[in-house]
Amino acid sequence: VIGTGIVSLLVFVTLVVLIEGSVRWLFPGINPQMSDHRLFDPHKYGRTYGYKALATGEELGALVTTDKHGFRTSARSRQRDISEPILVLGDSVSVGIGVEAEQTYPSILEEMLDKKVLNASVTGYGIADYVEVLGHVVDKFKPRLVLLGICLNDLSSTSQANIVTLARNGKD
C-alpha cells in the first residue's frame, strides 16, 4: 500500500514537471504571476522596501507604472496638480495588484474627488512598513489626508519577508 502511494506520487510529480517544462518551453513569453523584481528598491525607506521611481513592471498580469516618487500612477493621475494631495498607504489591495491603474480604488477616489491622490501602497506592506514610509513621505508631500489600507494579513510578517527576498534577489 505504501509502495503504491509513493509510485503514484512520483508519477504525479513527474507529470507536473513535464507539463510545466513544456508550457515554459512552448510559451516563453508568459511571465510568472507574481511581483516583478524590476519594480522594487529593497532599501527605499531605510529598512522598508518600496517601488523604484519611474519603473514599469507587472504584478499578477497587470502593468504597474510608477511616477518620479515611486508611487503607482495612471496617465490621468500624472496630469493633476500635486498640491495638498491625499496619500493612500496600504498593501496589495490598495496598490491594486492584478488590475490596471485606473481600476484601483485610489485612482477612482482621485476621479471622484478631483484631487491628487498619491498611491504610496506597495505589495506586501504591513504595519511596520506603514510607520516607516509615513516617516519619510508625510513631511515631503504634506498630504491633507492619509488613508491607511490595513488588511488582516498586515499583522503577519510572512508576506513582507517574501517580497523583501524578491526585491533583494532581483536587485540589478
Side-chain angles (χ1 to χ4, degrees):
V1 174
I2 293 175
T4 305
I6 291 174
V7 169
S8 296
L9 180 62
L10 288 173
V11 168
F12 174 76
V13 169
T14 303
L15 285 173
V16 168
V17 168
L18 285 172
I19 291 169
E20 178 72 18
S22 298
V23 168
R24 287 179 187 244
W25 182 68
L26 291 170
F27 305 101
I30 296 176
N31 293 320
Q33 298 253 334
M34 57 183 288
S35 298
D36 191 330
H37 72 85
R38 296 172 297 176
L39 291 170
F40 292 97
D41 177 350
H43 304 290
K44 181 172 183 172
Y45 300 109
R47 297 179 311 236
T48 298
Y49 62 96
Y51 288 137
K52 293 177 183 175
L54 302 173
T56 300
E58 283 189 29
E59 287 197 317
L60 285 178
L63 180 67
V64 174
T65 302
T66 63
D67 63 15
K68 65 182 180 180
H69 308 292
F71 301 150
R72 185 165 188 196
T73 189
S74 67
R76 288 188 314 234
S77 182
R78 287 188 290 268
Q79 299 168 4
R80 294 197 190 276
D81 177 32
I82 198 167
S83 63
E84 294 188 331
I86 296 170
L87 178 71
V88 174
L89 183 57
D91 61 5
S92 57
V93 174
S94 297
V95 82
I97 190 168
V99 299
E100 299 304 320
E102 290 77 13
Q103 297 171 316
T104 65
Y105 82 80
S107 182
I108 293 168
L109 182 65
E110 183 174 80
E111 284 298 307
M112 291 174 64
L113 299 177
D114 197 29
K115 290 281 183 191
K116 177 70 173 179
V117 175
L118 299 173
N119 190 353
S121 308
V122 176
T123 302
Y125 268 5
I127 301 294
D129 299 303
Y130 302 152
V131 172
E132 189 77 24
V133 173
L134 285 172
H136 284 83
V137 301
V138 168
D139 286 340
K140 181 175 182 176
F141 296 103
K142 303 200 181 332
R144 93 179 325 176
L145 176 68
V146 175
L147 298 175
L148 290 178
I150 297 175
C151 295
L152 288 176
N153 67 339
D154 293 345
L155 305 176
S156 166
S157 61
T158 305
S159 63
Q160 295 167 287
N162 292 337
I163 297 296
V164 169
T165 300
L166 173 71
R168 288 187 179 142
N169 290 341
K171 185 160 175 132
D172 296 328

